[in-house]
């Protein structure tokens, strides 16, 4: 789920201090940061390792981002997903949830490594935690809300179903926690089963 | 959820090679390992740091456990929870699930740090992943199965509810993923709401 927005660095307001790096160079540096985060995690990531991987100097990295937290935050912000990345519309709630589950699971191995590499550091760093939420959670929550609103409009589920609030969490949770607890990701049959066994019956229940 | 079983090291079969450390000393060393895992995570944990924290020498640590993976695995195995730690029996399924949720959330901050510190390393280390499953997942899964079987015996839910397979995952997932996605753990009212909105309606649905 790492989308490139290579124009990022050139989209500064007129008069803003100009960056010393080209947009392309900046994107290369951020890619090196992501690769290292996946390999060794946040705590063991060092500025010299980023410099070596990206063929730059630690002096450049410190001048531009101040240090490791600033660099990692900038890399996460740079790779914001486009708003329609999780858009699905199959015509039924069951179809939409299955398709979203498939999308979330298909990106999970990569994201899982990145989240696992960052999550310990995020416990002690509210800014990093906020960037992680924007990177991983917000796109899924917004896409899920569109799916659920269409299901309400079609009369498939009651508008006041209390389970609505938990659906994005459930999909992300099952893609992250299942591999951790069972040692392997859910396969496609289990995904369909999870939607049918948990999500649909919960969503069909109105508020009491 | 870190129970001390300080007799562990003395429970060797007769004739087994005797450990050089007393059971008490071994437990102290494992406590130092857990404290450091929570603070810096697995990747950044070093044997000299464990030695300093536990007032031992790296030579002792290497002689006894061979290295960091062996030491961390031994610490996790040493701290297996007692089988009845999550036992609840309130007389109703709703009461039992609320009580289990309360227990899981109450231990979550400590466990969350430990799991976050280990989960990245576990992706590349099947033995560590297996120890994590035994430490964190298995006790919750077994306790949940007892709760659900009693609910079936009382006629509260159908025996063939497909949601049964996911209930332990759901509780662990909500305690781990919610703080990550929302920046704060579920409070008591949200927990009750999650049980009512998601778990109970899913469990009441029979297999189709």
């Amino acid at each position: 789920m790492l989308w490139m927005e290579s124009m990022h660095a050139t989209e500064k307001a007129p008069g803003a201090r100009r960056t010393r790096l080209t947009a392309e160079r900046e994107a290369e540096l951020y890619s090196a940061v992501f690769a290292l985060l996946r390999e060794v995690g946040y705590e063991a990531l060092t500025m010299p390792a980023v410099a070596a991987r990206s063929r730059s100097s630690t002096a450049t990295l410190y001048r531009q981002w101040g240090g490791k937290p600033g660099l990692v935050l900038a890399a996460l912000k740079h790779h914001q997903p486009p708003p329609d990345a999780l858009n699905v519309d199959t015509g039924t709630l069951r179809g939409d949830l299955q398709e979203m589950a498939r999308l979330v699971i298909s990106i999970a191995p990569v994201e899982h490594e990145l989240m696992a590499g960052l999550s310990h550091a995020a416990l002690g760093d509210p800014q990093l935690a906020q960037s992680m939420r924007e990177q991983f959670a917000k796109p899924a929550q917004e896409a899920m809300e569109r799916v659920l609103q269409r299901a309400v409009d079609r009369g498939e589920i009651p508008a006041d179903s209390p389970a609505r609030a938990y659906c994005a969490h459930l999909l992300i949770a099952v893609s992250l926690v299942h591999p951790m607890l069972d040692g392997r990701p859910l396969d496609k049959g289990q995904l369909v089963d999870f939607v049918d066994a948990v999500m649909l019956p919960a969503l069909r229940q109105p508020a009491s």
Side-chain angles (χ1 to χ4, degrees), chain A residues 37 53 55 57-58 86-87 112 185:
Chain A
L37 283 174
R53 180 71 62 103
R55 299 177 310 280
S57 71
T58 53
L86 283 172
N87 264 6
H112 190 186

Side-chain angles (χ1 to χ4, degrees), chain A residues 35-189:
Chain A
L36 283 165
L37 283 174
R38 287 199 198 94
E39 288 169 27
V40 304
Y42 182 86
E43 270 94 356
L45 180 138
T46 64
M47 296 294 265
V50 175
R53 180 71 62 103
S54 60
R55 299 177 310 280
S56 59
S57 71
T58 53
T60 303
L61 299 180
Y62 278 104
R63 192 172 55 234
Q64 195 78 13
W65 290 283
K68 184 164 99 171
L71 176 55
V72 171
L73 281 175
L76 280 174
K77 283 178 185 160
H78 182 76
H79 286 288
Q80 288 299 311
D84 58 351
L86 283 172
N87 264 6
V88 298
D89 190 0
T90 65
T92 67
L93 176 59
R94 186 167 185 250
D96 283 358
L97 291 177
Q98 287 179 2
E99 183 63 11
M100 285 194 78
R102 198 188 59 73
L103 283 170
V104 168
I105 297 276
S106 70
I107 53 164
V110 169
E111 297 292 279
H112 190 186
E113 281 181 50
L114 190 55
M115 287 187 87
L118 283 167
S119 59
H120 185 260
L123 292 174
D125 184 337
Q127 261 199 299
L128 181 61
Q130 176 65 26
S131 285
M132 283 183 70
R133 283 194 289 278
E134 276 161 25
Q135 172 84 5
F136 300 109
K138 220 173 128 203
Q141 284 170 320
E142 291 172 354
M144 180 62 82
E145 198 32 57
R146 290 191 293 272
V147 161
L148 296 178
Q149 189 54 51
R150 284 201 308 271
V152 170
D153 296 343
R154 285 189 300 255
E156 288 190 86
I157 56 171
D160 63 355
S161 167
R164 282 177 76 167
Y166 298 101
C167 279
H169 291 72
L170 286 178
L171 265 198
I172 295 174
V174 81
S175 76
L176 289 175
V177 174
H178 202 282
M180 198 154 66
L181 296 189
D182 291 5
R184 53 186 161 63
L186 287 171
D187 63 30
K188 207 175 163 205

